[in-house]
Amino acid sequence: MDVKGVLTGFVLLAGASAAIAGATAVENVPEPATILSDVSARGAPAVVRELYDHRARWSSILRRVELGEETWLRVAVALRPGTDAGSASELHDSVTAALAAAPTNVLRVTVPKFPLTDLCSGRHDPPATYEAAVSEVDKMMAAVASIKIPELSKRRDDCLRALEASRADLKRFFAKE
């Protein structure tokens, strides 16, 4: 390999390393325990305001909530009292989306801080098409229906009724009637 080839390889490697470092910087999300401690010390409104002002960080937190891991759902519950308007809607939509991934965690950890009928009525800001929105609700319904824990049976059944009603709401929203 000639000097030019070696230099080109070095530049490509350096560029890839910078891109990876940049991605890591954007993903600079505090650990759940840190967020929970911060909410306890400073209050949810101050923490939400700070996180929401750093859109990449806020979006990363929302993506983690959507995975339905218990620790991140506890973060969502702690942050909820500090949300308003856009932040409240986005947090709601993330917790609602988590129904498809981890319905047991969602129904066990987030209710009643997130009212069940609201949570199970679907996203405030649904996917762009009727087909995508209905598909998402169907995935949530299948996941919620799979809950077999007796202590969650009432929440499961109430959630399934609300999700079913949300399908009719989507027809109206997308003018499919």
Side-chain angles (χ1 to χ4, degrees), residues 97-110:
L99 281 169
T104 300
N105 286 349
V106 173
L107 295 185
R108 189 173 40 82
V109 173
T110 66

Side-chain angles (χ1 to χ4, degrees), residues 77-157:
V77 167
L79 293 175
R80 187 173 188 279
T83 62
D84 63 0
S87 62
S89 182
E90 290 174 0
L91 188 61
H92 166 274
D93 286 356
S94 290
V95 174
T96 296
L99 281 169
T104 300
N105 286 349
V106 173
L107 295 185
R108 189 173 40 82
V109 173
T110 66
V111 176
K113 294 293 184 179
F114 285 81
L116 183 84
T117 53
D118 185 41
L119 186 64
C120 296
S121 293
R123 292 182 190 246
H124 290 165
D125 186 20
T129 67
Y130 173 74
E131 292 74 18
V134 168
S135 175
E136 180 178 69
V137 169
D138 289 346
K139 287 176 187 168
M140 288 180 209
M141 289 180 72
V144 170
S146 74
I147 296 173
K148 303 298 183 213
I149 300 169
E151 300 83 45
L152 292 177
S153 63
K154 180 168 177 10
R155 288 182 183 181
R156 176 199 61 215
D157 296 346

Side-chain angles (χ1 to χ4, degrees), residues 32-42:
T34 302
I35 297 171
L36 293 172
S37 175
D38 207 15
V39 168
S40 180
R42 298 188 309 130

